[in-house]
Amino acid sequence: MNEIELSLFDYFIGSLTILPWAIVLWKSFPKKLSRNAQIGIAMALLLGWVSTVLILWLHPVIWPQTDFVTKKKVSMLTQTAHLAFIQAGMMEESFKILFILLLSFALSYDFKTKSFLPESVLFAGFVAMGFSFIENTHYIAREIADRKLDIFLARTIHSSNIHLLINLCFGMFLLKSNSKETKEKIPYLFYAFLLAVLQHGVVDFLLIPGASFGQWIASALFVGIWVWVVRDWRIYVTAYLLDKKTLIPASEYSSQST
C-alpha cells in the first residue's frame, strides 16, 4: 500500500467497515464481559492496528518494487501465489497471531490448569478487527471518488469478514489445545498457524485475479469457515460458559472433561 495522508473522516469510514462484525462478536459472547476482558478487547484492537502499521513499514523493505520487465520473466501464476501466500498470508497472519498469543497468555490463560479461557477467541477476533480497520481505511482513502462506495462495501463484506473468520478459527484452536498434553500444544498451535496462512492465501489467490469463478469459490470458502466457527463457538464458548452439555456432542464433551 502506498503511503498516503489519512484524515479523521478516512478513519471514521474505515471504522464503519468493522463495526457490524465487532457488534456481532461482542453480542455473541454468552457472558457479561469482565473489566479484564474489556481491557483485553481494547488492547486487541490496538495490537491489530500496530500489526498493520508494522506490515506497512516492513513490506517495502522486505519486498522492494521490482521491475519484472528487465529482470527474469516471472509468470502471473507465480506472482499471484507469492503475493497471496507469502506477502499477504504469511506476513499478515504472523503478526496477528503473534499478538493474539501474547494477549491470550497475558489476559486469558489459567496458569494453574494450563488452559486458555474463552475470552481468547474474543481477543483473536478483535485483533483481526483492528487490523482490518487500518487496512480498509488505507484502501478506501486511496481509491478514486467514483469507486469509494464499491470499495467500502467490498472491504466490509469480504475483507473484514475473512480476517475475522481466520483469526476466530485460530482462537478456537487455542481452546481446543486445552485437551492436549503440554508437549503437544506447541506443534498443535503451529499447525493452526499454518492453517491460518493457508486460509488467507487460498482466499487471496482466488480473489486477486478478479475472476467471477474465483470469487464464487472464495465465497463458498467463507460459508464453510463460518459454519466451522459457529459450530465450534457453540461447543467451546457457549457450552463451556453456560455449562450446557446438550450443546456438546458426548464424545467431544468427554474429551474436554478429561
Side-chain angles (χ1 to χ4, degrees), residues 21-222:
W21 304 111
I23 292 174
V24 168
L25 186 58
W26 183 293
K27 293 294 185 182
S28 297
F29 200 71
K31 186 178 179 182
K32 184 177 179 180
L33 294 177
S34 65
R35 182 173 180 80
N36 197 51
Q38 293 176 24
I39 292 173
I41 288 172
M43 291 182 65
L45 287 168
L46 179 61
L47 290 174
W49 182 326
V50 170
S51 63
T52 317
V53 172
L54 288 173
I55 290 170
L56 287 171
W57 176 67
L58 285 174
H59 193 277
V61 176
I62 300 175
W63 291 290
Q65 293 294 327
T66 303
D67 185 358
F68 288 105
V69 176
T70 59
K71 301 284 184 180
K72 66 179 182 178
K73 212 171 194 183
V74 179
S75 69
M76 181 63 70
L77 181 63
T78 301
Q79 291 182 50
T80 303
H82 184 269
L83 179 61
F85 289 93
I86 305 301
Q87 292 192 30
M90 179 68 74
M91 193 170 188
E92 292 180 12
E93 296 309 323
S94 294
F95 279 101
K96 288 192 295 175
I97 286 176
L98 173 62
F99 287 137
I100 289 169
L101 286 171
L102 291 175
L103 193 54
S104 296
F105 274 116
L107 296 176
S108 61
Y109 188 77
D110 188 333
F111 286 91
K112 291 183 179 178
T113 61
K114 296 182 179 180
S115 59
F116 291 97
L117 303 177
E119 285 79 4
S120 297
V121 181
L122 278 181
F123 299 159
F126 278 99
V127 166
M129 292 293 91
F131 183 94
S132 296
F133 165 48
I134 300 302
E135 184 183 61
N136 294 346
T137 299
H138 276 264
Y139 273 102
I140 295 169
R142 74 177 187 178
E143 195 54 70
I144 60 175
D146 292 344
R147 295 200 62 224
K148 282 188 183 292
L149 179 59
D150 291 339
I151 296 299
F152 171 82
L153 294 175
R155 302 305 299 185
T156 303
I157 297 170
H158 289 100
S159 301
S160 298
N161 188 350
I162 196 60
H163 279 297
L164 175 62
L165 288 177
I166 290 171
N167 291 142
L168 283 180
C169 267
F170 183 81
M172 293 300 177
F173 276 102
L174 290 178
L175 301 186
K176 293 175 185 178
S177 72
N178 292 340
S179 62
K180 303 292 181 183
E181 296 291 336
T182 303
K183 63 181 180 180
E184 298 176 327
K185 285 189 176 184
I186 294 178
Y188 185 76
L189 293 178
F190 178 71
Y191 293 140
F193 161 71
L194 292 181
L195 176 62
V197 173
L198 181 63
Q199 289 172 327
H200 194 136
V202 169
V203 171
D204 278 4
F205 185 79
L206 293 169
L207 291 178
I208 287 173
S212 297
F213 181 69
Q215 292 176 358
W216 278 107
I217 298 178
S219 297
L221 182 59
F222 287 157

